[in-house]
Amino acid sequence: MPTYDFKCLECGKQFERSQKMSEEPLRVCIYCKGKVERLIGTGGGIIFKGSGFYATDYKKPDKTPKASEKKSEKKKE
Ligand SMILES: [Zn+2]
């Protein structure tokens, strides 16, 4: 059973009410019988499709300057 969020336009209270799909949405506040509006999209079910990967195939520079190899010279005493 889906849960709907309502906000009362009279008293400003928010409440949620689970209703059948076939059932008419609530129109009056459960507190003050005032007029309510249905809040859409706040009751969950929001899916963030994350396209969160970036192309990381940038080429590393091939020219890695070879550091002149240090010859381990034996020190003459
Ligand atoms: Zn109310």
Side-chain angles (χ1 to χ4, degrees):
M1 203 183 297
T3 305
Y4 300 104
D5 289 313
F6 297 94
K7 184 181 181 182
C8 178
L9 300 175
E10 301 295 327
C11 67
K13 284 182 179 175
Q14 281 189 32
F15 54 94
E16 52 181 41
R17 201 69 185 270
S18 52
Q19 291 188 302
K20 293 177 184 173
M21 295 285 275
S22 56
E23 210 171 347
E24 271 194 41
L26 197 69
R27 285 181 185 175
V28 294
C29 177
I30 58 173
Y31 299 105
C32 72
K33 303 281 176 66
K35 197 177 178 183
V36 295
E37 64 174 6
R38 204 170 92 183
L39 304 175
I40 300 171
T42 58
I46 301 174
I47 301 172
F48 291 100
K49 283 188 178 178
S51 62
F53 58 92
Y54 300 87
T56 55
D57 58 348
Y58 56 86
K59 278 189 177 180
K60 284 182 181 177
D62 286 329
K63 295 172 185 175
T64 48
K66 281 188 178 178
S68 56
E69 293 177 6
K70 277 185 180 178
K71 291 179 181 176
S72 57
E73 293 180 8
K74 285 183 180 177
K75 275 186 180 179
K76 289 179 182 177
E77 288 184 6

